[in-house]
């Protein structure tokens, strides 16, 4: 499977496109998300974005519930909805037309335009591609239980990331079923769907359906 940044993600669908283009693999970009936001934020058009708190930039067309928490630094894009009790811990770049739902927690993430994390999701140290969707209760697990460094398994190939914290990379148009767990180092190709209640690990090719480990079938 091609795990390169351009094979997984349409870089025209995020403010982070130019930044991400500088990395062969998208997980290499995770360390710099905070600095990226701190660079982008002050350059945003003040007629379109309001700095609602120090280092928190929210587009004037975005809808943020009073009970939501926006931690610095973060950017919330146009027409995005941040719902009741959402917890944006910081270092979150959320694109246009996204949904950050009830009790969703975001930390050190890039959400491309049109991403939906609508219900009880945890997304940490991850990048979610254009119009990807995480079903209710699905989460990224970003630290291994033995606290060793995360590697991405692609068949018989093991790619060392050098990272202790790395959740998942979702390609464009990925669908993750309800109550699924994306284990550390999961990379899911464009247009792939994951069945509900799945435990995903490693690389899943584009245009497939993940039914269970060892049972990944092409879309028909």
């Amino acid at each position: 499977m091609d795990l390169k940044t351009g094979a997984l993600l349409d870089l025209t669908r995020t403010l982070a496109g130019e930044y991400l283009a500088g990395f062969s693999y998208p997980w290499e970009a995770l360390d710099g998300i905070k600095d990226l936001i701190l660079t982008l934020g002050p350059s945003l058009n003040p007629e379109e974005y309001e700095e609602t708190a120090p280092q928190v930039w929210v587009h004037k067309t975005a809808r943020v519930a009073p009970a939501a928490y926006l931690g610095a630094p973060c950017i919330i894009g146009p027409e995005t909805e941040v719902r009741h009790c959402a917890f944006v811990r910081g270092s979150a770049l959320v694109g246009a037309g996204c949904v950050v739902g009830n009790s969703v927690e975001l930390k050190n993430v890039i959400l491309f335009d049109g991403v939906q994390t609508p219900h009880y999701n945890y997304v940490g140290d991850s990048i979610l591609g254009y119009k990807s969707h995480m079903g209710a209760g699905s989460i990224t697990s970003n630290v291994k239980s033995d606290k060793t460094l995360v590697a991405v398994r692609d068949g018989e190939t093991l790619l060392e990331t050098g990272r202790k914290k790395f959740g998942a990379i979702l390609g464009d148009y990925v669908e993750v079923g309800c109550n699924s767990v994306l284990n550390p180092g999961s990379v899911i190709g464009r247009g792939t769907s994951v069945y509900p209640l799945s435990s995903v690990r490693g690389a899943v090719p584009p245009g497939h359906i993940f039914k269970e480990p060892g049972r990944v079938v092409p879309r028909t």
Side-chain angles (χ1 to χ4, degrees), residues 42-124:
S43 71
L44 296 171
N45 186 345
E47 294 185 1
E48 297 179 1
Y49 285 83
E50 180 181 358
E51 190 172 2
T52 59
Q55 302 176 347
V56 174
W57 294 273
V58 178
H59 198 276
K60 293 180 179 180
T61 62
R63 300 176 300 284
V64 179
Y69 175 84
L70 302 182
C74 74
I75 295 172
I76 306 297
E79 303 295 338
T80 282
E81 183 179 1
V82 182
R83 293 176 179 167
H84 179 76
C85 289
F87 178 30
V88 180
R89 283 170 55 186
S91 300
L93 174 52
V94 181
C98 295
V99 175
V100 180
N102 172 32
S103 302
V104 168
E105 181 177 351
L106 302 180
K107 173 253 180 186
N108 197 50
V109 295
I110 296 173
L111 272 56
F112 277 51
D113 298 345
V115 168
Q116 294 192 346
T117 56
H119 312 284
Y120 307 105
N121 309 110
Y122 172 69
V123 186

Side-chain angles (χ1 to χ4, degrees), residues 22-23 41 55-56 85 93 100 105 118 139 141 160 164-165 168 171 173 178 190 192 205 207 215-216:
F23 299 95
Q55 302 176 347
V56 174
C85 289
L93 174 52
V100 180
E105 181 177 351
I139 63 169
S141 174
E160 301 291 345
K164 183 178 178 181
K165 293 186 177 183
Y173 300 104
C178 296
R190 294 178 192 249
T192 283
R215 191 170 171 229
V216 181

Side-chain angles (χ1 to χ4, degrees), residues 17 22 52 80 85 109-110 114 119 125 130 146 156 162 165 170 174 177 179 187 191 201 219:
T52 59
T80 282
C85 289
V109 295
I110 296 173
H119 312 284
D125 300 286
Y130 178 61
D146 61 6
E156 298 301 315
K165 293 186 177 183
L170 303 190
V174 164
N179 289 322
V187 181
R201 188 181 306 277
R219 286 188 175 277

Side-chain angles (χ1 to χ4, degrees), residues 123-162:
V123 186
D125 300 286
S126 299
I127 298 172
L128 276 53
Y130 178 61
K131 286 197 173 180
S132 58
H133 171 258
M134 295 190 68
S138 62
I139 63 169
T140 64
S141 174
N142 61 335
V143 180
K144 294 174 65 176
S145 59
D146 61 6
K147 307 302 188 291
T148 57
L149 299 180
V150 177
V152 177
R153 179 170 293 281
D154 181 19
E156 298 301 315
T157 302
L158 201 63
L159 292 175
E160 301 291 345
T161 70

Side-chain angles (χ1 to χ4, degrees), residues 188-207:
I188 303 179
R190 294 178 192 249
T192 283
S193 294
V194 174
Y195 267 19
L197 300 174
S198 294
S199 178
V200 180
R201 188 181 306 277
V204 183

